Amino acid sequence: MDFDEFTGQVQHRLELANTGEAVRATRATLSTLGRRIPEGNAEDLAASLPMEVKWYMTGAVSEHGQRFDWTEFVERVSEIENVDRPEAAYRSRVVVDLVHSLVPESDFQQLRDQLPESDDDEGWGNLFEIVDAGGWQESDAGQTGSDQPSG
């Protein structure tokens, strides 16, 4: 998959009006995620993604391994995308699900291992709701599900 196909998938899945919004959603999610996980994990996860998408997680990030929880993640993504928090949470879930469909399972599991999923810890399980539900389906479009950040 190349960059145009990736952003086209994001645009389609999120029912966005234009490619610019899809690029913004992708960049906001993956650059923020890249800041949260260690550099080596970001490199591993991004290795199977289009070069431009990989850049969001690796080259565009100056400080990897920052400590913040799901709520802070959603706030950061919301600010970058200039959308409300429930929308930012949903968009992040969709982007992460697309990443999940493109990377080796071992690399995705490495991501999950870096993010405490219990709401009692940091609540990162919220990021994987679509993945855990079996992945994005055409019928899911426009549904936000449990979109309030917890924690």
Side-chain angles (χ1 to χ4, degrees):
M1 178 175 284
D2 67 17
F3 181 71
D4 290 337
E5 291 169 320
F6 188 97
T7 55
Q9 275 293 312
V10 171
Q11 182 178 355
H12 173 71
R13 291 176 181 206
L14 292 174
E15 299 180 343
L16 301 174
N18 59 60
T19 305
E21 286 184 77
V23 170
R24 217 170 12 262
T26 301
R27 180 181 45 115
T29 297
L30 297 182
S31 65
T32 305
L33 197 56
R35 286 179 179 87
R36 174 59 180 82
I37 62 177
E39 185 174 7
N41 294 95
E43 290 281 348
D44 289 347
L45 186 66
S48 300
L49 300 176
M51 179 180 58
E52 299 89 342
V53 175
K54 177 182 178 177
W55 175 256
Y56 297 143
M57 291 193 78
T58 58
V61 176
S62 59
E63 184 183 343
H64 293 274
Q66 298 175 22
R67 295 298 301 181
F68 53 87
D69 64 9
W70 165 248
T71 301
E72 175 68 19
F73 173 84
V74 171
E75 289 173 10
R76 290 180 183 204
V77 170
S78 172
E79 196 172 293
I80 293 168
E81 276 196 81
N82 197 28
V83 297
D84 65 21
R85 288 178 33 193
E87 184 65 18
Y90 176 67
R91 289 179 178 196
S92 293
R93 289 181 185 112
V94 170
V95 170
V96 166
D97 180 61
L98 180 56
V99 168
H100 176 254
S101 72
L102 298 173
V103 303
E105 190 59 40
S106 60
D107 292 339
F108 197 79
Q109 186 58 50
Q110 189 178 53
L111 168 66
R112 292 189 82 144
D113 292 346
Q114 291 295 316
L115 303 172
E117 295 187 32
S118 164
D119 284 337
D120 294 336
D121 292 321
E122 296 184 23
W124 286 100
N126 293 294
L127 182 62
F128 305 111
E129 284 182 358
I130 294 174
V131 171
D132 291 343
W136 183 86
Q137 304 294 321
E138 194 75 35
S139 60
D140 293 342
Q143 295 179 8
T144 58
S146 170
D147 50 12
Q148 291 297 327
S150 62

